[in-house]
Amino acid sequence: MKLNYVKNENIDKIRWDEVIANSFNGIVYAYSWYLDIIADNWDALIDENFEYVFPIVWRKKFGIKYIYQPYFTQQLGVFSTKIISSEIVALFCNSIPSEYKVVNQQLNTYNDLVDDNLKKKIRTTYQLDLILPFDLLQKSFSENNKRNYKRALKNNLFTVNTLVPEDLINLFQKDKLGQFRQTKPKDFNNLKNIMFTSKHKGIGQLWSVYSKEKVLLAGAYFIESNNKIIFLFSATNSKGREFGAMSFLLTEFIRLNAGRNITIDFEGSDVESVARFYKSFGAKKTEYISWFLNRLPFPLNILKTF
């Protein structure tokens, strides 16, 4: 298979998006419009028949070009309507041009990477198929989750979808003040643009939970594409945690989408407490690969600067 490195301005984005739309492993993060918003720069490796595509998201620091995983983009890697073998994944990873001195990238759940020369780490996400009726899905919920739902109903919590992206981001920033110093204003602006654009495309939903006094307790944003719903972003304040607002929001979302041939991806997590929360909805652990490459000369290759 011959691979071509294609700069962004030369990518046929209509054809690119057709590949992502028809890929068995297509996911919203890989569409050109999403990458255009979220990435500082992105080019691609594409095979000669335009059947396999591999986005390369990159930055430059101290004059050094490096590949990174942008915020709000859990998985990238190789996408295709054809079979994607571990050899094909390795071919793409090993074909990244030498001008990129550091690579830190997360592949998608359908990309297996078997190459002893490449450093990799197994990461986890949790997914829940919604095809069953809600009463059957709820049987897999934890008892604590069921109690939280009943408590929320007893306290007259209610959901609406009229919240605007700025309000959800503000709720997050107020609650997590000082905890996410690496997340820059630009990253939140990108997130806001993702939310506005996906809502305009008719694939985004912004849910919120209010108390009976009409006080905002929690919010979440979902994006749907390729038979998958991504739980992209959420926020809860202290009062919301006290009332189990996020558990209530997700239960209501699952209830209203139950019976559909679609999967919700909770986007994580390797953090045990977060993983336990997602498992409480009956979600199953799914693995994907994060891989790393460092071509910097000594002693730069031992510094964690990227």
Side-chain angles (χ1 to χ4, degrees):
M1 181 187 297
K2 180 183 177 183
L3 303 183
N4 298 311
Y5 181 83
V6 185
K7 290 187 175 296
N8 187 280
E9 60 268 24
N10 296 322
I11 296 173
D12 182 340
K13 293 185 178 178
I14 294 176
R15 197 172 179 185
W16 175 281
D17 287 342
E18 288 176 350
V19 172
I20 302 302
N22 294 314
S23 292
F24 68 90
N25 64 330
I27 200 165
V28 70
Y29 315 118
Y31 283 95
S32 64
W33 66 266
Y34 197 103
L35 291 166
D36 284 344
I37 293 172
I38 213 74
D40 285 7
N41 310 277
W42 74 277
D43 299 329
L45 286 171
I46 305 172
D47 77 295
E48 56 191 328
N49 297 316
F50 219 125
E51 293 177 332
Y52 296 85
V53 300
F54 182 89
I56 294 177
V57 178
W58 62 274
R59 285 174 174 158
K60 184 181 286 188
K61 187 175 183 179
F62 307 130
I64 298 170
K65 293 178 74 172
Y66 65 99
I67 295 171
Y68 72 103
Q69 192 75 21
Y71 280 107
F72 314 113
T73 310
Q74 187 193 64
Q75 301 171 29
L76 289 174
V78 184
F79 298 90
S80 180
T81 58
K82 306 292 184 181
I83 293 174
I84 303 175
S85 65
S86 60
E87 290 79 13
I88 288 176
V89 177
L91 174 63
F92 274 89
C93 292
N94 284 303
S95 297
I96 289 175
S98 58
E99 65 190 272
Y100 296 104
K101 302 305 180 185
V102 176
V103 178
N104 196 341
Q105 187 184 59
Q106 293 168 192
L107 304 176
N108 61 75
T109 57
Y110 292 89
N111 285 179
D112 189 19
L113 180 59
V114 180
D115 191 320
D116 293 337
N117 295 316
L118 298 176
K119 295 181 180 179
K120 64 178 184 178
K121 177 182 178 181
I122 303 299
R123 306 196 68 173
T124 57
T125 186
Y126 284 83
Q127 299 184 350
L128 176 65
D129 293 333
L130 300 180
I131 195 166
L132 295 175
F134 179 68
D135 59 336
L136 294 181
L137 289 173
Q138 197 176 32
K139 287 183 177 180
S140 297
F141 286 18
S142 70
E143 291 304 315
N144 184 58
N145 200 333
K146 294 174 184 177
R147 283 194 298 269
N148 284 338
Y149 184 60
K150 291 179 180 177
R151 183 178 60 170
L153 291 174
K154 185 177 179 180
N155 283 286
N156 298 310
L157 301 193
F158 62 96
T159 61
V160 296
N161 55 8
T162 56
L163 197 69
V164 297
E166 291 93 340
D167 290 340
L168 177 59
I169 292 172
N170 288 338
L171 179 65
F172 178 87
Q173 290 176 323
K174 288 178 181 178
D175 183 62
K176 303 294 184 181
L177 184 63
Q179 295 182 35
F180 290 81
R181 293 186 178 88
Q182 290 182 322
T183 309
K184 300 175 182 177
K186 179 182 177 181
D187 298 314
F188 286 114
N189 284 335
N190 288 343
L191 174 63
K192 183 174 67 174
N193 288 337
I194 289 293
M195 289 193 280
F196 275 118
T197 303
S198 57
K199 280 180 69 68
H200 178 72
K201 290 178 175 290
I203 62 173
Q205 299 182 53
L206 206 170
W207 282 49
S208 54
V209 175
Y210 286 82
S211 68
K212 62 182 179 181
E213 295 82 15
K214 298 183 180 179
V215 175
L216 177 63
L217 303 178
Y221 196 80
F222 304 87
I223 298 185
E224 179 178 332
S225 76
N226 299 79
N227 295 317
K228 183 171 285 188
I229 297 171
I230 303 295
F231 181 45
L232 185 70
F233 186 73
S234 64
T236 312
N237 58 26
S238 57
K239 202 69 175 178
R241 283 188 286 274
E242 179 184 338
F243 284 101
M246 187 55 65
S247 179
F248 175 68
L249 187 155
L250 287 171
T251 300
E252 281 291 277
F253 185 86
I254 291 169
R255 182 179 68 83
L256 292 175
N257 285 278
R260 298 180 61 201
N261 184 21
I262 200 161
T263 299
I264 182 170
D265 188 325
F266 289 102
E267 272 204 333
S269 169
D270 293 320
V271 178
E272 179 54 35
S273 60
V274 179
R276 186 166 57 250
F277 178 64
Y278 297 146
K279 284 189 286 187
S280 73
F281 296 94
K284 304 300 182 184
K285 179 179 178 180
T286 307
E287 296 182 341
Y288 63 98
I289 293 171
S290 175
W291 73 285
F292 179 78
L293 177 66
N294 192 333
R295 294 167 168 162
L296 292 170
F298 181 83
L300 292 177
N301 60 355
I302 62 174
L303 299 176
K304 296 182 179 180
T305 57
F306 295 90

